[in-house]
Amino acid sequence: MQQTAVLELTNLRKIIKGKEIVKGVNLTLYPSQIFGFLGPNGAGKTTTIRMIVGLIKPTEGSVSICGYSVAHDFVKAMSNVGCIIESPDMYKYLTGMENLLQYAAMDKTISQQRIKDVVEMVGLQHRLNDKVGTYSLGMRQRLGIAQAILSRPKLLILDEPTNGLDPAGMTEFRNLIRKLAYEEGMTVFVSSHLLLEIQQMCDIVSIIKQGRVIKTVNVQDILHDTQIEWQLSDPERAILLLAEHWNIVATQLKKNTISADISQHPLDKINEFFIREGIALTYCSTKQNTLEDLFLDLTEGDQIV
Amino acid sequence: MFSLIENEVIKMISKKRLMFVLAILVVLISIFAYGQNQTLVRTKAQLSQRMGITATDDWRKLADQQLIDMKNRLDSPYMDEKSKSSSRVRMEQLQYNLDNNINPLEQSAAKFTTKFMEQAIFLFLPLLIIMLSADMVSGESSNGTIKLLLVRNVPRWKILLSKYLTLVILEVLIVFLAFVLSAIISGFFFGFGGWQAPVATGFKVLAGKLDSSSVLNVPQWQYSLMVYSLGFFVAFVVGSISFMISILVKSTAASIGIIMSTLVAGNFISFFLSDWKITRYMFMVNLRLTDYLSGSFQPIEGMNMLFSITILLGWAIASTIISFVYFTKQDILV
């Protein structure tokens, strides 16, 4: 990892009307990272984001973007940020293009060519000259993303970005985010309550609950020590073999299905072993909802603040 | 800064609100001009019928008759002191017109244009300005677009200043168009001339008596220019105040409601609470600046042109300061 942090939050706190919404959040993000900010409704996600972009002032603590303090060096800090906060609010009485031109006028570094490129990147070229009032939510999301990345920010902040996107749009969006992060070196900060979304897209996830970050995990790590399900011809023998040769405790789920936590053992070697032992393997999958389990474990039974 | 103002102007034009305001202006001026024309015709007919003459061009006779009418009314025991002294002021003006051969009945585009602003300055013009200004910040708050403006690499005060300057540009535009439109529209009714005709100004009311020591005649165009300058000043003051309310209140409907009811209340106050001294520090009762020029009677004792302008300027400066301080400090939660 590189030395310079793109985003650094130090003991960020916010009290609104006597209620502590955010209770001391610390976070450091580096270039090319896709960060997921996960939490139930009312956990303080949006409040934290608003403090990052300077819409509200922290009660305590500081935000620095690319080394510039948002409180003291607002203009320089903001030059490195593109964002969508909560919903992609646009001027409904302007066309998509006119909306983008409004933003371009505020930043001299944006060229006509850049606008054209970005519009093609988000796939909006056909409806660009229609009024935004006639757009669907998904199209407004695309336009929102377009305006956020227009100035090639180092930090891209997206609050609930896939709201209103159809499945194809979501895949497209994921690919776009990966491209921005891994090819253009942007750090992407995605907030969501959609677990699958975060799991499929992010490298690092922080789970926030009642204004506190309760866990920060590397998504790859939790996906690796995952539960495996096999559908095979002889489940009883498979369970025995797993216990004998791999020291793995497996349980039978359904008639032909067994499940086990394989921890560090390589899945391909186990599968190879089954076949060598003459067990026919019809289906094998990793259990996809690990993050969800973690999330529910951590946030279970809590009231919305 | 220039591109920020350009942005604001583009938004204002696209919202069609400006076109709506201009349409109202055209319709109202047309109705007003038509009505003036009808009144003029009727007054002439009435007077000539009463006096038994047909030569309505002899305005001196009509003016004499008006003087007599007013004198009769003055003698009536049912008239209160206040209307009596204001009648007296008007009579003395009429007398002055007679002495200096200024025809008060003669109507022209120039006269109408001036009169239109004199009538519009305390309610209609402010309403037009409010329609544009009350939405400028609260509109962005209720749409949520304010967030997009404030997370750019532009400091907040610059965003607000660009909006404020756009408002000033619009105020100039509205007052200028009010002038041009009423000059053109009324020209079709009364002819396009009259800009050189002399107008008496500089009347002073001292203890209910008209003091004509400083009265002088200025050409109509010059008088008109003074009236429209005062119109712009009022537009500027009302614009600043409603701009502030549009920042303090997050919803457009609430902000228009607050400032409009304040204005209308101002009209009530000058009628019903005129002996309550503190009301003269309210901006709403100080809007009739043009009345000081023509020498009409002021609503509350102790007010004069300088006083009103100072009060209005104070309101404008105070609201601008509050606007900027609040806007740069506030937490955006929409």
Side-chain angles (χ1 to χ4, degrees):
Chain A
M1 290 209 180
Q2 278 124 309
Q3 289 298 307
T4 46
V6 172
L7 175 67
E8 199 162 9
L9 307 183
T10 322
N11 190 30
L12 207 56
R13 284 178 70 227
K14 179 69 185 178
I15 298 170
I16 298 175
K17 288 182 183 144
K19 190 164 271 180
E20 196 171 10
I21 308 286
V22 177
K23 303 169 181 169
V25 171
N26 290 290
L27 182 70
T28 310
L29 294 182
Y30 295 95
S32 278
Q33 280 185 332
I34 303 179
F35 172 78
F37 202 41
L38 191 62
N41 296 326
K45 297 192 296 282
T46 298
T47 307
T48 307
I49 290 178
R50 278 165 192 269
M51 282 193 277
I52 295 174
V53 296
L55 282 178
I56 59 182
K57 288 186 178 56
T59 310
E60 215 187 295
S62 68
V63 179
S64 102
I65 296 169
C66 295
Y68 297 110
S69 154
V70 170
H72 303 116
D73 237 337
F74 181 79
V75 173
K76 278 184 184 160
M78 282 303 125
S79 303
N80 296 305
V81 181
C83 59
I84 305 179
I85 310 293
E86 225 160 18
S87 57
D89 297 306
M90 298 286 156
Y91 298 105
K92 293 192 178 67
Y93 46 84
L94 298 180
T95 66
M97 188 64 187
E98 283 169 337
N99 264 294
L100 291 179
L101 287 175
Q102 287 268 323
Y103 306 118
M106 295 172 84
D107 189 337
K108 294 281 170 290
T109 60
I110 299 168
S111 64
Q112 287 293 320
Q113 186 59 42
R114 174 68 183 166
I115 297 179
K116 222 179 134 201
D117 292 347
V118 166
V119 166
E120 269 168 35
M121 227 185 269
V122 298
L124 210 61
Q125 55 272 45
H126 303 298
R127 292 289 304 274
L128 202 58
N129 292 317
D130 292 346
K131 288 238 159 41
V132 172
T134 68
Y135 282 19
S136 66
L137 182 55
M139 286 164 73
R140 274 189 281 139
Q141 284 287 9
R142 286 162 192 255
L143 189 60
I145 293 162
Q147 64 82 18
I149 62 176
L150 212 50
S151 61
R152 298 178 199 274
K154 292 201 174 70
L155 175 63
L156 180 62
I157 297 175
L158 304 169
D159 196 0
E160 310 276 353
T162 51
N163 263 352
L165 288 183
D166 52 29
M170 280 198 194
T171 316
E172 244 175 80
F173 170 76
R174 267 200 300 279
N175 292 337
L176 177 64
I177 294 301
R178 287 211 187 92
K179 193 177 157 224
L180 289 172
Y182 303 141
E183 287 173 30
E184 300 200 15
M186 273 185 207
T187 303
V188 186
F189 184 118
V190 185
S191 118
S192 181
H193 58 261
L194 294 175
L195 299 141
L196 191 64
E197 197 50 57
I198 294 279
Q199 185 175 324
Q200 287 173 334
M201 195 158 49
C202 300
D203 305 325
I204 305 168
V205 178
S206 273
I207 295 173
I208 182 171
K209 189 187 79 171
Q210 292 184 354
R212 233 184 276 277
V213 171
I214 45 176
K215 198 171 175 81
T216 301
V217 287
N218 201 318
V219 174
Q220 287 304 311
D221 293 346
I222 40 172
L223 287 184
H224 273 167
D225 64 1
T226 190
Q227 291 265 332
I228 307 291
E229 274 182 35
W230 291 273
Q231 213 174 48
L232 28 69
S233 56
D234 194 347
E236 286 84 6
R237 195 162 151 250
I239 291 172
L240 265 169
L241 285 168
L242 275 177
E244 273 171 30
H245 290 84
W246 299 88
N247 200 20
I248 292 172
V249 184
T251 48
Q252 188 162 2
L253 292 180
K254 282 173 269 174
K255 195 175 165 228
N256 281 327
T257 310
I258 64 166
S259 160
D261 189 343
I262 59 166
S263 58
Q264 304 98 337
H265 300 292
L267 181 59
D268 47 349
K269 291 271 166 16
I270 299 176
N271 287 347
E272 219 181 282
F273 167 76
F274 277 146
I275 291 162
R276 239 189 293 122
E277 291 293 325
I279 297 174
L281 211 59
T282 25
Y283 180 74
C284 164
S285 79
T286 52
K287 229 176 130 196
Q288 280 297 315
N289 55 355
T290 347
L291 192 56
E292 187 170 349
D293 290 341
L294 178 65
F295 179 70
L296 290 178
D297 281 350
L298 290 168
T299 59
E300 202 177 17
D302 278 313
Q303 305 285 313
I304 291 170
V305 182
Chain B
M1 196 68 218
F2 180 73
S3 55
L4 287 181
I5 294 176
E6 203 185 341
N7 268 359
E8 289 301 323
V9 172
I10 291 172
K11 280 187 257 175
M12 195 49 94
I13 293 169
S14 310
K15 260 191 286 189
K16 305 214 168 65
R17 206 174 277 246
L18 189 59
M19 294 315 286
F20 189 56
V21 166
L22 293 183
I24 292 178
L25 206 52
V26 170
V27 170
L28 209 101
I29 290 172
S30 306
I31 293 174
F32 201 53
Y34 178 77
Q36 279 283 303
N37 197 25
Q38 292 299 104
T39 315
L40 190 63
V41 170
R42 226 178 298 128
T43 315
K44 276 181 181 169
Q46 227 169 41
L47 283 172
S48 62
Q49 195 185 19
R50 209 182 304 166
M51 294 174 76
I53 50 165
T54 44
T56 48
D57 298 324
D58 189 4
W59 67 269
R60 287 186 149 270
K61 271 186 191 157
L62 295 177
D64 280 333
Q65 183 61 42
Q66 275 183 315
L67 264 179
I68 294 162
D69 283 355
M70 272 197 229
K71 209 168 277 169
N72 288 341
R73 243 182 284 152
L74 265 188
D75 294 337
S76 148
Y78 302 110
M79 229 173 155
D80 64 64
E81 259 321 298
K82 203 166 284 167
S83 11
K84 258 186 192 169
S85 56
S86 105
S87 277
R88 225 173 277 138
V89 167
R90 238 174 265 131
M91 279 169 63
E92 281 179 50
Q93 275 183 356
L94 209 56
Q95 192 61 53
Y96 185 90
N97 285 329
L98 275 171
D99 296 346
N100 291 276
N101 207 19
I102 302 169
N103 184 354
L105 258 185
E106 181 193 291
Q107 191 60 281
S108 69
K111 238 179 174 178
F112 174 86
T113 305
T114 313
K115 198 169 181 185
F116 177 73
M117 183 49 80
E118 283 172 350
Q119 294 300 313
I121 197 167
F122 61 93
L123 198 60
F124 181 60
L125 176 71
L127 290 191
L128 293 184
I129 297 299
I130 288 166
M131 283 179 68
L132 296 174
S133 59
D135 176 57
M136 281 192 96
V137 180
S138 65
E140 303 243 11
S141 294
S142 38
N143 289 340
T145 44
I146 190 86
K147 290 179 290 189
L148 292 165
L149 284 177
L150 297 185
V151 297
R152 298 273 136 183
N153 54 347
V154 180
R156 282 191 188 185
W157 64 266
K158 256 191 188 174
I159 300 278
L160 195 66
L161 186 62
S162 72
K163 282 185 174 291
Y164 192 72
L165 291 178
T166 307
L167 179 60
V168 174
I169 293 171
L170 287 174
E171 284 157 2
V172 174
L173 188 77
I174 294 287
V175 174
F176 177 74
L177 283 177
F179 179 83
V180 172
L181 286 173
S182 53
I184 292 174
I185 295 173
S186 66
F188 290 113
F189 288 94
F190 313 118
F192 291 93
W195 296 100
Q196 294 298 333
V199 183
T201 182
F203 292 98
K204 271 189 199 139
V205 183
L206 288 173
K209 277 277 190 184
L210 190 69
D211 170 25
S212 54
S213 59
S214 55
V215 169
L216 71 159
N217 276 326
V218 295
Q220 180 78 56
W221 65 265
Q222 202 182 327
Y223 187 77
S224 198
L225 200 67
M226 293 197 288
V227 167
Y228 274 82
S229 306
L230 290 176
F232 168 71
F233 180 70
V234 164
F236 170 75
V237 171
V238 173
S240 301
I241 295 169
S242 84
F243 190 71
M244 170 187 73
I245 291 174
S246 127
I247 291 169
L248 300 179
V249 180
K250 300 287 177 285
S251 108
T252 306
S255 104
I256 291 183
I258 289 172
I259 180 88
M260 281 209 181
S261 51
T262 315
L263 266 181
V264 174
N267 282 305
F268 278 82
I269 287 170
S270 43
F271 283 125
F272 296 116
L273 302 172
S274 55
D275 48 353
W276 191 18
K277 283 277 160 61
I278 199 152
T279 55
R280 61 190 171 149
Y281 296 108
M282 294 174 171
F283 76 93
M284 312 83 88
V285 297
N286 283 294
L287 295 178
R288 296 168 189 251
L289 291 176
T290 50
D291 286 4
Y292 297 123
L293 279 185
S294 59
S296 303
F297 199 62
Q298 70 256 60
I300 298 173
E301 250 184 74
M303 283 165 54
N304 58 38
M305 178 77 105
L306 188 67
F307 174 84
S308 287
I309 286 190
T310 313
I311 293 291
L312 290 179
L313 205 59
W315 274 87
I317 292 171
S319 3
T320 310
I321 292 173
I322 293 172
S323 299
F324 275 87
V325 170
Y326 186 78
F327 189 77
T328 47
K329 296 261 183 290
Q330 84 188 122
D331 281 352
I332 309 289
L333 294 169
V334 287

